[in-house]
Amino acid sequence: MGKYLINGRKKISGTLKLSGSKNSSLPILAASILNSGTTIIHNCPDISDVRIAIKILKHIGCKVFFEKNTVVIDSSSVNFYDVPHDLVKQMRSSIIFCGSLLSRMKKVAISYPGGCSLGKRPIDFHIAAFKKLGAQIFEEDGNIICHGENLKGCEINLNFPSVGATQNIILAAIFANGTTKIINAACEPEIVDLQNFLKKMGADINGAGTSEIIINGVKTLHAVEYTVIPDRIVAGTFLLSAVITNGEIEITNVIPEHLPLKNFLQLGCFIKTNENKIFLRAPDFIRPIENLQTVPYPGFPTDLQAQFVSVLSIANGKSIVHEKIFESRNKHIPQLIKMGAKIKILPDGTTFIIDGVKNLHGTNLFSKDLRGGAALILAALTAEGKTIVHDENYIERGYEKIECVLQNLGADIKFMQ
Ligand code: UD1
């Protein structure tokens, strides 16, 4: 377990060049095996989730080089179809290899990813969709085994626009016979990025970014070089680091329309954007938000909920936050309460009533998940005195050297193993 040592009350100020998107890189790495050749991916963040995806690629037979945010993958000799349990355990989204291995190897063996600290997180939509495409699926010793020799295009109507299920269906349908239509598909920018990557390899897929995606099966795909989009959640987190310390920040290499800027304006921030830059100046008094609900894109993202809760805990009044995507995404709240925040979790576990306080104080904290951990670091930046955030390697799953980035922006933060 590592720990972040933070002396609070230092203003964040400066410019930051944003890193590539984790949630785009992971499905794109999984999709790289579909061309049986060379894939070059630029702007891939150097984070532990990406390193786990690379371990899976190597395990199934790819040659992979990763240097300076560029990954080169040779997938010509993929010869395994299993995803080892210890890797699935470390990264739930390993499940995304199900769709790509089904397309490439016609079979997959992967251990059940199970729940995690955000709640149950089932994979029933993924399984039902693979079955509808014609895959045979059974369980053996806790592993899910899928066989899909002759997948056939079909219409798949998702009960909820699941990001992972939409990606997995796209990957499984890429070589299927005929046309697959996904209705009520997720519209997140990471789905559009996956589509753009696949199209560049020669896939016939359209509609990503809307709720209907159409995939016409093709026979083969070719080598590709691609640049991943910037990470909107990392951007949102660093914008909030300026808000919570009454500072200002410029983020470059960002796609402003991917961010919920409306919600930053609700906090009272001054924001200026151009094509690939966002400048934000914090308000002197953070305004509370009466009703903030997490919803699928283009609404307010669940992956920024915890960080907004940290900021709202020092707002000038009362806020109500509703977590509508994950039933247990509230583990950061008891930690914030330890710092002096006044937050009540209603019995449903997903409604948080926040009475803004003037100051938080430093103490010993424990991160319980990736974004919740980032939220604690934000709170520590504004807290009086010293905070230690103990972290079981959650934060490095999604943030490239967060302590160095924050140091460069003026924070007093150190990481110790
Ligand atoms: C992805 C993101 C994660 C983000 C989430 C929601 C990646 C690697 N992760 O996760 O950062 O927080 O989208 O934007 O991109 N559900 C089911 N059955 C299923 C699948 C999902 O009931 O088979 C439910 C989930 O429990 C959850 C909701 O659907 O309540 C949304 O989950 P989903 O969009 O699938 O999230 P992930 O793809 O796991």
Side-chain angles (χ1 to χ4, degrees), residues 147-165:
H147 286 263
E149 290 298 336
N150 292 303
L151 297 187
K152 278 202 184 65
C154 62
E155 198 169 287
I156 297 167
N157 198 335
L158 290 172
N159 285 340
F160 182 88
S162 154
V163 174

Side-chain angles (χ1 to χ4, degrees), residues 22-24 26-27 49 91-96 118-128 158-167 186 188 190 232-233 295-297 301-304 324-327 329 370-371 397:
K22 165 176 101 65
N23 289 355
S24 267
L26 298 176
D49 271 11
M91 185 177 73
R92 190 190 178 277
S93 49
S94 314
I95 193 72
I96 209 65
L118 306 185
K120 291 197 290 286
R121 297 189 91 174
I123 52 162
D124 50 333
F125 303 160
H126 305 236
I127 302 287
L158 290 172
N159 285 340
F160 182 88
S162 154
V163 174
T166 302
Q167 291 163 335
E188 269 70 2
E190 294 77 19
R232 61 194 170 102
I233 304 302
V295 277
Y297 190 84
T302 174
D303 284 351
L304 283 177
K324 297 276 201 186
I325 309 288
F326 292 112
E327 68 275 18
R329 199 165 213 176
L370 162 61
R371 305 302 171 190
R397 283 187 42 212

Side-chain angles (χ1 to χ4, degrees), residues 125-354:
F125 303 160
H126 305 236
I127 302 287
F130 292 151
K131 281 188 180 159
K132 200 149 189 220
L133 284 163
Q136 280 117 43
I137 300 182
F138 49 97
E139 262 192 66
E140 201 178 80
D141 302 331
N143 283 324
I144 307 164
I145 318 285
C146 311
H147 286 263
E149 290 298 336
N150 292 303
L151 297 187
K152 278 202 184 65
C154 62
E155 198 169 287
I156 297 167
N157 198 335
L158 290 172
N159 285 340
F160 182 88
S162 154
V163 174
T166 302
Q167 291 163 335
N168 242 339
I169 297 166
I170 291 173
L171 296 177
I174 246 25
F175 298 137
N177 241 319
T179 300
T180 301
K181 191 180 196 182
I182 312 175
I183 299 166
N184 199 25
C187 302
E188 269 70 2
E190 294 77 19
I191 308 279
V192 179
D193 212 28
L194 178 63
Q195 170 174 291
N196 291 341
F197 171 76
L198 291 166
K199 264 180 169 319
K200 216 173 169 198
M201 279 208 280
D204 185 349
I205 166 170
N206 287 292
T210 74
S211 56
E212 252 184 51
I213 299 178
I214 294 181
I215 306 124
N216 293 307
V218 292
K219 292 268 178 278
T220 54
L221 296 174
H222 51 72
V224 63
E225 183 163 357
Y226 190 76
T227 301
V228 167
I229 54 167
D231 197 308
R232 61 194 170 102
I233 304 302
V234 172
T237 305
F238 286 114
L239 288 174
L240 291 173
S241 72
V243 180
I244 207 162
T245 60
N246 192 22
E248 55 182 50
I249 190 168
E250 181 186 61
I251 301 194
T252 64
N253 189 37
V254 62
I255 301 175
E257 55 274 25
H258 286 176
L259 277 116
L261 293 180
K262 187 183 107 187
N263 303 111
F264 286 85
L265 291 174
Q266 283 180 305
L267 295 171
C269 302
F270 169 81
I271 294 178
K272 212 169 125 189
T273 61
N274 72 16
E275 208 185 322
N276 62 356
K277 275 189 199 160
I278 301 178
F279 171 80
L280 176 147
R281 188 180 311 123
D284 284 336
F285 298 98
I286 296 169
R287 288 194 213 133
I289 304 183
E290 210 176 292
N291 179 12
L292 185 62
Q293 299 203 8
T294 65
V295 277
Y297 190 84
F300 177 69
T302 174
D303 284 351
L304 283 177
Q305 178 258 108
Q307 301 90 313
F308 262 75
V309 168
S310 287
V311 170
L312 291 172
S313 72
I314 57 157
N316 206 10
K318 178 170 164 178
S319 305
I320 301 182
V321 175
H322 298 275
E323 171 55 57
K324 297 276 201 186
I325 309 288
F326 292 112
E327 68 275 18
S328 311
R329 199 165 213 176
N330 57 23
K331 306 278 189 321
H332 45 294
I333 292 176
Q335 303 294 308
L336 292 171
I337 292 171
K338 275 168 59 178
M339 304 178 86
K342 283 202 178 141
I343 309 176
K344 200 167 138 196
I345 307 179
L346 295 193
D348 64 6
T350 59
T351 305
F352 318 136
I353 317 276
I354 308 165

